Amino acid sequence: MNSRKSVKIYDTTLRDGAQAEEISFSLDDKLRLTEALDDFGVHYVEGGWPGSNPRDEAYFREVKKLKLRRAKVAAFGSIHHPRNKPEDDNNVRLLLKSGAPCVTVFGKSWDMQAKEVLGISKKRNLEIIHGTIAYLKGKVDEVLFDAEHFFDGYKSDPEYAMRTLAAAREAGADWLVLCETNGGALPFEVEAIVAEVQAKMPGARFGIHCHNDSDTGVGNSLAAVRAGADMVHGTINGIGERCGNANLCSIIPNLQLKMGRKIAPAAKLKKLRGISRLVYELANMAQRPHQPYVGRSAFAHKGGVHVAAVRKTASAYEHIDPEIVGNRRRVLVSDLSGKWNILTKAKEFGLDLQSKDDATRTILAKLKELENQGYQFEGAEASFELLMRKAMGQWKKKFDVVRARVVSSFSNEQKDNWAEAVIKLRLPDGTTTHSVAEGNGPVNALDKAVRAALVNSYPELSDVELHDFKVRLLDESKTASKTRVLIESGDGERRWGTVGVLANVIEASWQALVDSLEYKLHQRHAVKTGKKKKKGKRKP
Ligand SMILES: [Zn+2]
């Protein structure tokens, strides 16, 4: 029955994850993530190292005010300094002062590290491990021993590496966490070593803590669970120092869906993509589109043959149902598209389009023509939805552009860019509206001016924000030197992409911008009049 056993998830995004070079979580970020991780269902949240900086000390003070339902907060630190006794070691004192119910201390399991890094004897190293854990035990709910460099240590001197675990266990450690600190091991080695350790120390509870330097952080963690580990350490999205930590966004669904281990109820697994995105947002990192399970391309199908097959049986090119992890299937429209792509896309948009409809042929022909001109709809599904609706006669214009003008100036000396846009639009009732706006560049000025012109008639446009703006110069031989602009917009709830292609970069941007606003207005209208299909998940 071993395969149905539950596995404890120990999240260290806030401590090991925050060691990644580009990441710095604020105190508020850390508290918000703690709540999100608790809600998602991890068993432990390692909040920080109270001895390392004042922010982590403040975290442990504030985290007590949160009402966590499931997650136990853990404080991380080292075993006491060789010169001290545990009771007068500052690091140990701060771990206790944190008030965290769980304390994780790390110590050396590799004889070479004890001798050369700490400069102490192998015997003294064992005394320190034992002394620290014995002192902590009873003062907090749970004590974990992180056996640093365990796998390298075991390869070098298995007998000594086991003695470090034995010292921790005798002192009362609740968990012995085998750390693959340098990230150099491979899954078959990890599995063999964990199995041996397990056999030599029956009854002990083991955890695994892997880094991703050989791109095997996830594989090594799964191998350790197969061999008997019941706790996995990792970070959301695998963020962490060097090449990162073992990625919980892959480990959790693999354990639950492929290895039959119990972690989170299905409803919580649906939040996997959400938590991945939250960590990217707070870390201010771009999401990895091809990230397994949670990336936006993880279930995206492009080739016509694949799409036709997926329409019949989703499992043809999908390893799981994307909705289980809160992701969704996407069909990409491109010149590889056949009719099936168009029909599948229509269904996704909530449009009733049939294979034999004239509109289907029109859309396909239009798509090929636009792609020849350099359009690409893979990141611009909102523009594609507009194109389809127009071809199907399901489109009502919300405004017409009578004239738009933009001037911009820049100065190297003052390092300030300035632009002004003047816009005149005609509304469906025949009235015109006119506005002027300044911005720090021409697109910014145009964006502000067009929204100022429309916001009285369409107040919902005040929620729209531009998130990303990409410009690509297209190959001259094919397209007579055109520019393609991709814009990503959002309104706090959804994000959508639109595209413009023209010789002039400002005009191309304008085209994408107008599509973005038209799309928002259409969505709003569809929701208000209840036309939106109930399954219309329209996050392009
Ligand atoms: Zn680590």
mmCIF file of all heavy atoms in Angstrom, residues 357-387:
data_model
loop_
_atom_site.group_PDB
_atom_site.id
_atom_site.type_symbol
_atom_site.label_atom_id
_atom_site.label_comp_id
_atom_site.label_asym_id
_atom_site.label_seq_id
_atom_site.Cartn_x
_atom_site.Cartn_y
_atom_site.Cartn_z
ATOM 1 N N ASP A 357 -19.832 26.204 -43.558
ATOM 2 C CA ASP A 357 -20.224 27.620 -43.634
ATOM 3 C C ASP A 357 -19.288 28.407 -44.550
ATOM 4 O O ASP A 357 -18.075 28.163 -44.564
ATOM 5 C CB ASP A 357 -20.167 28.276 -42.240
ATOM 6 C CG ASP A 357 -21.229 27.722 -41.309
ATOM 7 O OD1 ASP A 357 -22.066 26.932 -41.784
ATOM 8 O OD2 ASP A 357 -21.193 28.060 -40.105
ATOM 9 N N ASP A 358 -19.869 29.375 -45.261
ATOM 10 C CA ASP A 358 -19.032 30.258 -46.095
ATOM 11 C C ASP A 358 -17.991 30.972 -45.246
ATOM 12 O O ASP A 358 -16.859 31.174 -45.670
ATOM 13 C CB ASP A 358 -19.911 31.319 -46.790
ATOM 14 C CG ASP A 358 -20.718 30.694 -47.921
ATOM 15 O OD1 ASP A 358 -20.384 29.548 -48.304
ATOM 16 O OD2 ASP A 358 -21.669 31.352 -48.394
ATOM 17 N N ALA A 359 -18.430 31.361 -44.038
ATOM 18 C CA ALA A 359 -17.517 32.124 -43.171
ATOM 19 C C ALA A 359 -16.235 31.337 -42.888
ATOM 20 O O ALA A 359 -15.158 31.921 -42.765
ATOM 21 C CB ALA A 359 -18.219 32.492 -41.884
ATOM 22 N N THR A 360 -16.338 30.018 -42.786
ATOM 23 C CA THR A 360 -15.144 29.209 -42.496
ATOM 24 C C THR A 360 -14.114 29.381 -43.613
ATOM 25 O O THR A 360 -12.928 29.582 -43.360
ATOM 26 C CB THR A 360 -15.526 27.720 -42.348
ATOM 27 O OG1 THR A 360 -16.584 27.636 -41.404
ATOM 28 C CG2 THR A 360 -14.361 26.891 -41.880
ATOM 29 N N ARG A 361 -14.613 29.300 -44.849
ATOM 30 C CA ARG A 361 -13.698 29.478 -45.996
ATOM 31 C C ARG A 361 -13.135 30.894 -46.003
ATOM 32 O O ARG A 361 -11.960 31.107 -46.247
ATOM 33 C CB ARG A 361 -14.428 29.187 -47.311
ATOM 34 C CG ARG A 361 -14.355 27.709 -47.706
ATOM 35 C CD ARG A 361 -14.836 27.495 -49.147
ATOM 36 N NE ARG A 361 -16.212 27.943 -49.319
ATOM 37 C CZ ARG A 361 -17.267 27.213 -48.975
ATOM 38 N NH1 ARG A 361 -17.109 26.022 -48.440
ATOM 39 N NH2 ARG A 361 -18.491 27.679 -49.166
ATOM 40 N N THR A 362 -14.014 31.873 -45.725
ATOM 41 C CA THR A 362 -13.557 33.272 -45.716
ATOM 42 C C THR A 362 -12.452 33.470 -44.672
ATOM 43 O O THR A 362 -11.436 34.101 -44.940
ATOM 44 C CB THR A 362 -14.738 34.215 -45.354
ATOM 45 O OG1 THR A 362 -15.859 33.818 -46.123
ATOM 46 C CG2 THR A 362 -14.407 35.664 -45.592
ATOM 47 N N ILE A 363 -12.681 32.914 -43.496
ATOM 48 C CA ILE A 363 -11.698 33.095 -42.411
ATOM 49 C C ILE A 363 -10.363 32.459 -42.792
ATOM 50 O O ILE A 363 -9.298 33.050 -42.624
ATOM 51 C CB ILE A 363 -12.221 32.503 -41.083
ATOM 52 C CG1 ILE A 363 -13.425 33.321 -40.598
ATOM 53 C CG2 ILE A 363 -11.148 32.493 -40.010
ATOM 54 C CD1 ILE A 363 -14.245 32.635 -39.514
ATOM 55 N N LEU A 364 -10.434 31.238 -43.340
ATOM 56 C CA LEU A 364 -9.211 30.534 -43.716
ATOM 57 C C LEU A 364 -8.434 31.331 -44.773
ATOM 58 O O LEU A 364 -7.211 31.500 -44.664
ATOM 59 C CB LEU A 364 -9.576 29.136 -44.248
ATOM 60 C CG LEU A 364 -8.474 28.107 -44.264
ATOM 61 C CD1 LEU A 364 -7.858 27.944 -42.881
ATOM 62 C CD2 LEU A 364 -9.026 26.750 -44.723
ATOM 63 N N ALA A 365 -9.168 31.847 -45.763
ATOM 64 C CA ALA A 365 -8.505 32.610 -46.832
ATOM 65 C C ALA A 365 -7.904 33.898 -46.266
ATOM 66 O O ALA A 365 -6.765 34.262 -46.564
ATOM 67 C CB ALA A 365 -9.517 32.940 -47.930
ATOM 68 N N LYS A 366 -8.657 34.553 -45.401
ATOM 69 C CA LYS A 366 -8.203 35.808 -44.794
ATOM 70 C C LYS A 366 -6.951 35.561 -43.941
ATOM 71 O O LYS A 366 -5.990 36.322 -43.977
ATOM 72 C CB LYS A 366 -9.342 36.358 -43.927
ATOM 73 C CG LYS A 366 -9.075 37.703 -43.310
ATOM 74 C CD LYS A 366 -9.498 38.832 -44.236
ATOM 75 C CE LYS A 366 -9.075 40.178 -43.689
ATOM 76 N NZ LYS A 366 -8.890 41.198 -44.707
ATOM 77 N N LEU A 367 -6.982 34.475 -43.193
ATOM 78 C CA LEU A 367 -5.864 34.124 -42.322
ATOM 79 C C LEU A 367 -4.590 33.925 -43.141
ATOM 80 O O LEU A 367 -3.517 34.432 -42.806
ATOM 81 C CB LEU A 367 -6.220 32.855 -41.554
ATOM 82 C CG LEU A 367 -5.202 32.319 -40.570
ATOM 83 C CD1 LEU A 367 -4.956 33.327 -39.459
ATOM 84 C CD2 LEU A 367 -5.692 31.015 -39.955
ATOM 85 N N LYS A 368 -4.713 33.181 -44.254
ATOM 86 C CA LYS A 368 -3.524 32.927 -45.082
ATOM 87 C C LYS A 368 -3.005 34.235 -45.678
ATOM 88 O O LYS A 368 -1.796 34.468 -45.724
ATOM 89 C CB LYS A 368 -3.839 31.907 -46.173
ATOM 90 C CG LYS A 368 -4.327 30.607 -45.568
ATOM 91 C CD LYS A 368 -3.711 29.371 -46.166
ATOM 92 C CE LYS A 368 -3.730 28.274 -45.100
ATOM 93 N NZ LYS A 368 -3.956 26.947 -45.532
ATOM 94 N N GLU A 369 -3.942 35.074 -46.110
ATOM 95 C CA GLU A 369 -3.546 36.351 -46.707
ATOM 96 C C GLU A 369 -2.814 37.220 -45.679
ATOM 97 O O GLU A 369 -1.741 37.761 -45.939
ATOM 98 C CB GLU A 369 -4.813 37.058 -47.198
ATOM 99 C CG GLU A 369 -4.586 38.414 -47.847
ATOM 100 C CD GLU A 369 -5.889 39.229 -47.856
ATOM 101 O OE1 GLU A 369 -6.957 38.629 -48.124
ATOM 102 O OE2 GLU A 369 -5.822 40.438 -47.568
ATOM 103 N N LEU A 370 -3.376 37.298 -44.473
ATOM 104 C CA LEU A 370 -2.755 38.137 -43.440
ATOM 105 C C LEU A 370 -1.406 37.579 -43.019
ATOM 106 O O LEU A 370 -0.457 38.320 -42.766
ATOM 107 C CB LEU A 370 -3.680 38.259 -42.225
ATOM 108 C CG LEU A 370 -4.927 39.114 -42.446
ATOM 109 C CD1 LEU A 370 -5.849 39.031 -41.242
ATOM 110 C CD2 LEU A 370 -4.561 40.570 -42.723
ATOM 111 N N GLU A 371 -1.301 36.262 -42.932
ATOM 112 C CA GLU A 371 -0.025 35.681 -42.530
ATOM 113 C C GLU A 371 1.050 35.958 -43.575
ATOM 114 O O GLU A 371 2.211 36.147 -43.241
ATOM 115 C CB GLU A 371 -0.177 34.205 -42.235
ATOM 116 C CG GLU A 371 -0.919 34.021 -40.929
ATOM 117 C CD GLU A 371 -0.823 32.638 -40.341
ATOM 118 O OE1 GLU A 371 -0.643 31.688 -41.113
ATOM 119 O OE2 GLU A 371 -0.942 32.522 -39.103
ATOM 120 N N ASN A 372 0.630 36.002 -44.838
ATOM 121 C CA ASN A 372 1.563 36.385 -45.894
ATOM 122 C C ASN A 372 2.079 37.802 -45.701
ATOM 123 O O ASN A 372 3.202 38.126 -46.038
ATOM 124 C CB ASN A 372 0.864 36.332 -47.253
ATOM 125 C CG ASN A 372 1.271 35.095 -47.998
ATOM 126 O OD1 ASN A 372 2.373 34.581 -47.757
ATOM 127 N ND2 ASN A 372 0.416 34.617 -48.885
ATOM 128 N N GLN A 373 1.207 38.645 -45.175
ATOM 129 C CA GLN A 373 1.601 40.029 -44.934
ATOM 130 C C GLN A 373 2.457 40.174 -43.676
ATOM 131 O O GLN A 373 2.942 41.256 -43.391
ATOM 132 C CB GLN A 373 0.364 40.913 -44.759
ATOM 133 C CG GLN A 373 -0.447 41.078 -46.018
ATOM 134 C CD GLN A 373 -1.730 41.866 -45.719
ATOM 135 O OE1 GLN A 373 -1.781 42.650 -44.779
ATOM 136 N NE2 GLN A 373 -2.746 41.651 -46.522
ATOM 137 N N GLY A 374 2.582 39.102 -42.921
ATOM 138 C CA GLY A 374 3.432 39.167 -41.737
ATOM 139 C C GLY A 374 2.675 39.123 -40.424
ATOM 140 O O GLY A 374 3.263 39.236 -39.359
ATOM 141 N N TYR A 375 1.351 38.942 -40.485
ATOM 142 C CA TYR A 375 0.591 38.817 -39.234
ATOM 143 C C TYR A 375 0.893 37.476 -38.601
ATOM 144 O O TYR A 375 1.172 36.499 -39.295
ATOM 145 C CB TYR A 375 -0.920 38.892 -39.496
ATOM 146 C CG TYR A 375 -1.431 40.287 -39.668
ATOM 147 C CD1 TYR A 375 -1.263 40.947 -40.880
ATOM 148 C CD2 TYR A 375 -2.061 40.939 -38.626
ATOM 149 C CE1 TYR A 375 -1.714 42.234 -41.050
ATOM 150 C CE2 TYR A 375 -2.520 42.234 -38.789
ATOM 151 C CZ TYR A 375 -2.351 42.879 -39.995
ATOM 152 O OH TYR A 375 -2.801 44.144 -40.143
ATOM 153 N N GLN A 376 0.818 37.470 -37.288
ATOM 154 C CA GLN A 376 0.975 36.214 -36.581
ATOM 155 C C GLN A 376 -0.007 36.271 -35.430
ATOM 156 O O GLN A 376 0.004 37.230 -34.663
ATOM 157 C CB GLN A 376 2.403 36.134 -36.076
ATOM 158 C CG GLN A 376 2.760 34.799 -35.511
ATOM 159 C CD GLN A 376 4.156 34.842 -34.927
ATOM 160 O OE1 GLN A 376 5.115 35.235 -35.583
ATOM 161 N NE2 GLN A 376 4.255 34.465 -33.680
ATOM 162 N N PHE A 377 -0.868 35.279 -35.330
ATOM 163 C CA PHE A 377 -1.938 35.377 -34.332
ATOM 164 C C PHE A 377 -1.677 34.520 -33.101
ATOM 165 O O PHE A 377 -2.512 34.426 -32.223
ATOM 166 C CB PHE A 377 -3.278 34.982 -34.967
ATOM 167 C CG PHE A 377 -3.748 35.992 -35.975
ATOM 168 C CD1 PHE A 377 -3.535 35.790 -37.338
ATOM 169 C CD2 PHE A 377 -4.356 37.168 -35.564
ATOM 170 C CE1 PHE A 377 -3.943 36.723 -38.260
ATOM 171 C CE2 PHE A 377 -4.761 38.114 -36.487
ATOM 172 C CZ PHE A 377 -4.556 37.888 -37.845
ATOM 173 N N GLU A 378 -0.483 33.916 -33.044
ATOM 174 C CA GLU A 378 -0.249 33.011 -31.921
ATOM 175 C C GLU A 378 -0.218 33.727 -30.577
ATOM 176 O O GLU A 378 -0.566 33.175 -29.568
ATOM 177 C CB GLU A 378 1.006 32.183 -32.157
ATOM 178 C CG GLU A 378 0.648 30.962 -32.967
ATOM 179 C CD GLU A 378 1.713 30.561 -33.956
ATOM 180 O OE1 GLU A 378 2.877 30.903 -33.739
ATOM 181 O OE2 GLU A 378 1.362 29.924 -34.955
ATOM 182 N N GLY A 379 0.238 34.974 -30.579
ATOM 183 C CA GLY A 379 0.199 35.719 -29.316
ATOM 184 C C GLY A 379 -0.896 36.760 -29.350
ATOM 185 O O GLY A 379 -0.893 37.688 -28.553
ATOM 186 N N ALA A 380 -1.790 36.648 -30.318
ATOM 187 C CA ALA A 380 -2.762 37.716 -30.539
ATOM 188 C C ALA A 380 -4.124 37.115 -30.814
ATOM 189 O O ALA A 380 -4.771 37.389 -31.819
ATOM 190 C CB ALA A 380 -2.309 38.582 -31.709
ATOM 191 N N GLU A 381 -4.564 36.305 -29.875
ATOM 192 C CA GLU A 381 -5.831 35.612 -30.107
ATOM 193 C C GLU A 381 -7.029 36.556 -30.080
ATOM 194 O O GLU A 381 -8.057 36.262 -30.682
ATOM 195 C CB GLU A 381 -5.981 34.475 -29.110
ATOM 196 C CG GLU A 381 -5.044 33.347 -29.475
ATOM 197 C CD GLU A 381 -4.837 32.367 -28.359
ATOM 198 O OE1 GLU A 381 -4.354 32.791 -27.293
ATOM 199 O OE2 GLU A 381 -5.150 31.185 -28.556
ATOM 200 N N ALA A 382 -6.899 37.679 -29.390
ATOM 201 C CA ALA A 382 -8.021 38.637 -29.371
ATOM 202 C C ALA A 382 -8.217 39.210 -30.769
ATOM 203 O O ALA A 382 -9.351 39.356 -31.246
ATOM 204 C CB ALA A 382 -7.755 39.744 -28.362
ATOM 205 N N SER A 383 -7.131 39.524 -31.471
ATOM 206 C CA SER A 383 -7.264 40.011 -32.844
ATOM 207 C C SER A 383 -7.899 38.940 -33.725
ATOM 208 O O SER A 383 -8.698 39.227 -34.611
ATOM 209 C CB SER A 383 -5.889 40.382 -33.433
ATOM 210 O OG SER A 383 -5.417 41.570 -32.863
ATOM 211 N N PHE A 384 -7.539 37.693 -33.468
ATOM 212 C CA PHE A 384 -8.098 36.618 -34.277
ATOM 213 C C PHE A 384 -9.607 36.448 -34.019
ATOM 214 O O PHE A 384 -10.387 36.232 -34.943
ATOM 215 C CB PHE A 384 -7.348 35.307 -34.026
ATOM 216 C CG PHE A 384 -7.756 34.229 -34.987
ATOM 217 C CD1 PHE A 384 -7.501 34.372 -36.339
ATOM 218 C CD2 PHE A 384 -8.415 33.097 -34.557
ATOM 219 C CE1 PHE A 384 -7.892 33.400 -37.252
ATOM 220 C CE2 PHE A 384 -8.814 32.118 -35.452
ATOM 221 C CZ PHE A 384 -8.556 32.272 -36.803
ATOM 222 N N GLU A 385 -9.986 36.592 -32.768
ATOM 223 C CA GLU A 385 -11.421 36.479 -32.456
ATOM 224 C C GLU A 385 -12.199 37.596 -33.165
ATOM 225 O O GLU A 385 -13.280 37.365 -33.716
ATOM 226 C CB GLU A 385 -11.652 36.544 -30.941
ATOM 227 C CG GLU A 385 -13.116 36.347 -30.598
ATOM 228 C CD GLU A 385 -13.403 36.268 -29.097
ATOM 229 O OE1 GLU A 385 -12.481 35.985 -28.314
ATOM 230 O OE2 GLU A 385 -14.572 36.511 -28.737
ATOM 231 N N LEU A 386 -11.619 38.796 -33.174
ATOM 232 C CA LEU A 386 -12.281 39.905 -33.868
ATOM 233 C C LEU A 386 -12.425 39.584 -35.349
ATOM 234 O O LEU A 386 -13.464 39.804 -35.959
ATOM 235 C CB LEU A 386 -11.481 41.204 -33.708
ATOM 236 C CG LEU A 386 -11.450 41.831 -32.306
ATOM 237 C CD1 LEU A 386 -10.622 43.108 -32.315
ATOM 238 C CD2 LEU A 386 -12.856 42.126 -31.799
ATOM 239 N N LEU A 387 -11.354 39.050 -35.935
ATOM 240 C CA LEU A 387 -11.379 38.706 -37.358
ATOM 241 C C LEU A 387 -12.500 37.705 -37.650
ATOM 242 O O LEU A 387 -13.260 37.837 -38.614
ATOM 243 C CB LEU A 387 -10.010 38.127 -37.723
ATOM 244 C CG LEU A 387 -9.680 37.704 -39.135
ATOM 245 C CD1 LEU A 387 -8.166 37.777 -39.314
ATOM 246 C CD2 LEU A 387 -10.135 36.292 -39.485
#
